[in-house]
Amino acid sequence: SVERVELEGLAFDRALGLRFMGQIGLPPVLEDVDMRGVLFMPAARGHFRVADLALLGRMAGATLPLELTGELAVSAHMPAQMALESGKLSFGRQEMVLDGVYIGRERPHFTLDARAESLDSAELAAMMGLADRAEWLSTLASITELHDYEFRVELGQLQFGRLSLSDVFVQLAAVEGRSVIERGQATLPGALVEFEGQLQVDDEGRGLSAQVQLDIDDLAALMAMLDLPVSASGAGRLVVGTADAEAFPVLARGSIRLFDGELSLLGGLRNELQLPGGAAFSTLEADFLVQDDRTEFTGLRIHHEGARLDLDGLLLGPGQQLAGQVKLGGSESGLPVQELGGSLDSPEFSPSRIALPEQ
């Protein structure tokens, strides 16, 4: 809806003062809009420019207002086009540089390049009015259903919850209801992150698949950034991807393989079993399943100097609680020798309640 439009000295081939107040979109996408600029309309050429654009407003449902500045070029020739040049988006303490083009085809198409030295995802969510992961996905699905697009993001730093990522690059493209991450990468302390995924929106609903891979060169630095109450070092790879909807309540599946490191929990376990090696391992590998409040590791195998420890059913539950059974690799009995309990910051070990067979 339009509350007020002001044009000062309307005429072709001259600069005009422009002001617009109201809402943009039906239903409104931008509310409480106050836009000012300098309008130039060449005579009979079917396009115009708005220089010194300054738009104040708030996205529907958002708590954090925004300000957009730059230049806007509009063409009324079919298909209609609108281009934002030298755009700057400000909200809270954040500032992003934007360039984009919108083409009003039968199926609208837009391109958008977004760049920032740093970005806090919490303030981005507050500006967009998105409270959780489900709302992010719903918004992307709605855009993908109605538009084709190409979207590029480059960030020097990204604060995503307690994750501090740097050198973030994402390239996303959508055609006919299928959105694909064509390239995604970032750096964490001690690890290179690469990710891919796709979102399919059609008459049968919405389907999301994604995979993240961490190539770890300094596990100690990564653990310090995550602020986990366990000491670890080494290098390796972690891969995690979304699970099929039929696997619910399993949300994701993954695998981890580490080399030539140490794990503080392993040192305590070997002490209980009176085994040599301390906290060291040559290889550590496992698959895992992620649910809403727990992560279950399957087939966890730890090798060091020819000896092997197997942890069956290792569970990391609410409050970082631990549970699982320890077996000696290669043991003829195949029975657990130690029970694992407690928590990550205070693990507990006790002899297994299952008695070993008498010799």
Side-chain angles (χ1 to χ4, degrees):
S1 64
V2 178
E3 297 176 4
R4 186 168 151 192
V5 176
E6 295 179 2
L7 293 170
E8 299 177 356
L10 178 61
F12 290 112
D13 295 323
R14 61 174 294 184
L16 314 170
L18 167 68
R19 186 178 186 189
F20 168 88
M21 299 177 67
Q23 301 178 134
I24 297 177
L26 189 65
V29 176
L30 273 176
E31 301 174 335
D32 304 327
V33 174
D34 187 350
M35 183 178 74
R36 302 169 187 259
V38 178
L39 175 67
F40 183 77
M41 299 180 63
R45 293 183 61 182
H47 63 264
F48 61 89
R49 296 184 66 86
V50 178
D52 299 328
L53 172 70
L55 183 153
L56 300 174
R58 179 175 51 81
M59 296 192 72
T63 58
L64 196 62
L66 62 87
E67 179 181 10
L68 177 65
T69 61
E71 293 199 4
L72 198 63
V74 180
S75 172
H77 295 296
M78 297 301 294
Q81 297 187 38
M82 181 168 59
L84 174 66
E85 302 170 359
S86 302
K88 185 174 75 173
L89 177 65
S90 303
F91 52 95
R93 299 166 296 171
Q94 313 301 308
E95 186 175 288
M96 303 187 73
V97 176
L98 303 179
D99 290 287
V101 177
Y102 179 90
I103 304 175
R105 301 170 180 164
E106 180 177 352
R107 183 174 175 84
H109 178 277
F110 69 85
T111 62
L112 182 64
D113 288 346
R115 303 175 301 281
E117 292 185 5
S118 64
L119 181 66
D120 188 325
S121 64
E123 289 201 327
L124 178 64
M127 182 272 291
M128 297 185 67
L130 304 175
D132 54 31
R133 174 181 175 275
E135 290 190 2
W136 279 99
L137 181 58
S138 178
T139 298
L140 179 60
S142 297
I143 295 172
T144 303
E145 183 177 14
L146 301 175
H147 302 80
D148 295 339
Y149 54 81
E150 299 171 39
F151 187 29
R152 287 166 47 101
V153 180
E154 296 182 63
L155 306 172
Q157 298 285 333
L158 171 63
Q159 190 66 38
F160 187 75
R162 62 179 183 179
L163 297 181
S164 298
L165 299 102
S166 58
D167 303 322
V168 179
F169 181 88
V170 181
Q171 184 167 310
L172 187 68
V175 177
E176 297 293 336
R178 181 171 179 264
S179 179
V180 177
I181 298 176
E182 297 180 333
R183 181 183 169 197
Q185 63 183 46
T187 301
L188 283 168
L192 174 65
V193 184
E194 295 183 342
F195 49 94
E196 59 185 31
Q198 68 175 33
L199 172 67
Q200 180 73 45
V201 181
D202 53 34
D203 293 339
E204 297 181 359
R206 304 168 180 173
L208 173 69
S209 61
Q211 179 173 289
V212 179
Q213 176 176 299
L214 272 71
D215 287 316
I216 304 167
D217 59 19
D218 187 348
L219 181 60
L222 182 62
M223 297 292 281
M225 185 273 299
L226 294 173
D227 195 27
L228 291 175
V230 59
S231 175
S233 64
R237 173 173 291 177
L238 181 148
V239 180
V240 60
T242 52
D244 296 335
E246 294 79 9
F248 185 84
V250 175
L251 304 177
R253 302 177 185 272
S255 64
I256 185 169
R257 186 172 176 84
L258 301 173
F259 305 93
D260 301 327
E262 293 189 349
L263 179 65
S264 57
L265 186 148
L266 185 57
L269 177 58
R270 284 205 179 104
N271 286 338
E272 289 292 325
L273 295 173
Q274 298 182 349
L275 295 174
F281 62 84
S282 300
T283 63
L284 183 155
E285 53 189 343
D287 297 326
F288 59 88
L289 304 174
V290 180
Q291 299 184 28
D292 184 51
D293 61 349
R294 66 191 61 203
T295 301
E296 180 179 352
F297 294 83
T298 59
L300 177 56
R301 304 291 180 258
I302 302 168
H303 298 259
H304 186 63
E305 295 181 349
R308 192 182 87 206
L309 286 176
D310 300 342
L311 274 72
D312 282 353
L314 177 61
L315 185 68
L316 180 60
Q320 299 180 340
Q321 293 297 303
L322 289 171
Q325 296 180 329
V326 182
K327 297 179 181 179
L328 297 178
S331 169
E332 293 182 2
S333 71
L335 295 175
V337 295
Q338 200 80 13
E339 300 280 347
L340 178 62
S343 61
L344 270 182
D345 60 348
S346 182
E348 298 175 358
F349 310 98
S350 59
S352 173
R353 292 185 295 270
I354 302 176
L356 293 175
E358 295 183 1
Q359 300 297 318

